C-alpha cells in the first residue's frame, strides 16, 4: 500500500501547471488501462498540460515500461497501490476521472468513488456505466481509443462544464447510492412486499 503522505508530498505527484486526469483501480487490460495509455498522446496534443495519474496494482512496473516504450512516460505516473482510506485524497488531485472498463456486465465500483469526489467522469459506454452515471457520464464507444481521448480532452478544455458535471454526479451518488439511500430503498421494497403478501392473503 502507498503510505499515508502529507499534503506536500501528495501535491508533488502533479507538477505545478499540470492538470491531472485520474484513474484508480486494477491495472489490467480488461479494466481498459491499455486503452487509456493509448489515448494519452491524443489528449496531450490537444491539452499539453494534461497529466495522468494511473493509480492501482498489479503490473505497475509492466505499465511503466510500456509508457516508456510508447514515449509517454513524461505525461503519466503510476503511484502504485493506494490504501482505500487514502483514495479520496489522491482522487482530489484530479480534474477529470476515467473509468474505461470494457466489461458490459461486471460492476464498476470505481465510478462511485469518482462521483463521491465530484469528479466529471469519462467511461466506455456500457450498460453498467450507464446505470451508475446516468446521463451525467461522458461516454466513448466501447473500445474506441480516439473517442476516449476526445472525451477526456473535451472536459479539460471546458472547466466550467466539468465542474458542473462533477457537482451533479456528487448529488446523484448521494441521492441514489449512499447508505442512507440504500436503506430507504430496502425499507420501501420491504413495505411493498408486506403489502403484496397482505393483499394475497385477503384475496
Amino acid at each position: 500500500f502507498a503510505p499515508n503522505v502529507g499534503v506536500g508530498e501528495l501535491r508533488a505527484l502533479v507538477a505545478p501547471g499540470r492538470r491531472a486526469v485520474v484513474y484508480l483501480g486494477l491495472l489490467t487490460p480488461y479494466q481498459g488501462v491499455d486503452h487509456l495509455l493509448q489515448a494519452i498522446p491524443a489528449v496531450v496534443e490537444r491539452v499539453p498540460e494534461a497529466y495522468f495519474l494511473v493509480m492501482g496494482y498489479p503490473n505497475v512496473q509492466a505499465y511503466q515500461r510500456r509508457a516508456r516504450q510508447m514515449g509517454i512516460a513524461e505525461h503519466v505516473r503510476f503511484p502504485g497501490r493506494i490504501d482505500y482510506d487514502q483514495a479520496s485524497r489522491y482522487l482530489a488531485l484530479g480534474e477529470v476521472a476515467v473509468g474505461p472498463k470494457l466489461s458490459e456486465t461486471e460492476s464498476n465500483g470505481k465510478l462511485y468513488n469518482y462521483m463521491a469526489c465530484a469528479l466529471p467522469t469519462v467511461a466506455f459506454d456500457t450498460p453498467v456505466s450507464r446505470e451508475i452515471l446516468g446521463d451525467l457520464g461522458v461516454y466513448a464507444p466501447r473500445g474506441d481509443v480516439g473517442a476516449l481521448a476526445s472525451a477526456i480532452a473535451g472536459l479539460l478544455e471546458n472547466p466550467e462544464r466539468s465542474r458542473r458535471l462533477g457537482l451533479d454526479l456528487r448529488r446523484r451518488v448521494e441521492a441514489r447510492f449512499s447508505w442512507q439511500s440504500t436503506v430507504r430503498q430496502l425499507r420501501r421494497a420491504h413495505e411493498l412486499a408486506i403489502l403484496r403478501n397482505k393483499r394475497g392473503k385477503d384475496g
Side-chain angles (χ1 to χ4, degrees), residues 27-51:
L27 303 186
T28 61
Y30 86 92
Q31 291 282 353
V33 175
D34 298 66
H35 293 72
L36 177 57
L37 294 190
Q38 292 167 26
I40 289 176
V43 175
V44 172
E45 184 176 355
R46 284 176 54 175
V47 187
E49 64 272 24
Y51 190 73

Side-chain angles (χ1 to χ4, degrees), residues 46-125:
R46 284 176 54 175
V47 187
E49 64 272 24
Y51 190 73
F52 290 75
L53 282 181
V54 182
M55 301 175 282
Y57 73 100
N59 305 315
V60 175
Q61 293 182 342
Y63 278 110
Q64 288 173 331
R65 287 194 299 270
R66 185 169 302 179
R68 290 194 294 270
Q69 293 165 358
M70 296 173 64
I72 59 172
E74 65 181 295
H75 303 293
V76 59
R77 187 164 186 166
F78 300 88
R81 187 170 184 173
I82 306 299
D83 189 326
Y84 188 80
D85 291 341
Q86 298 292 308
S88 62
R89 298 180 68 212
Y90 283 83
L91 290 174
L93 296 169
E95 289 188 35
V96 173
V98 188
K101 193 169 187 176
L102 292 162
S103 174
E104 295 186 281
T105 57
E106 187 175 290
S107 182
N108 199 351
K110 65 179 67 63
L111 300 183
Y112 299 112
N113 291 326
Y114 297 163
M115 296 166 75
C117 292
L119 284 167
T121 299
V122 176
F124 281 136
D125 195 350

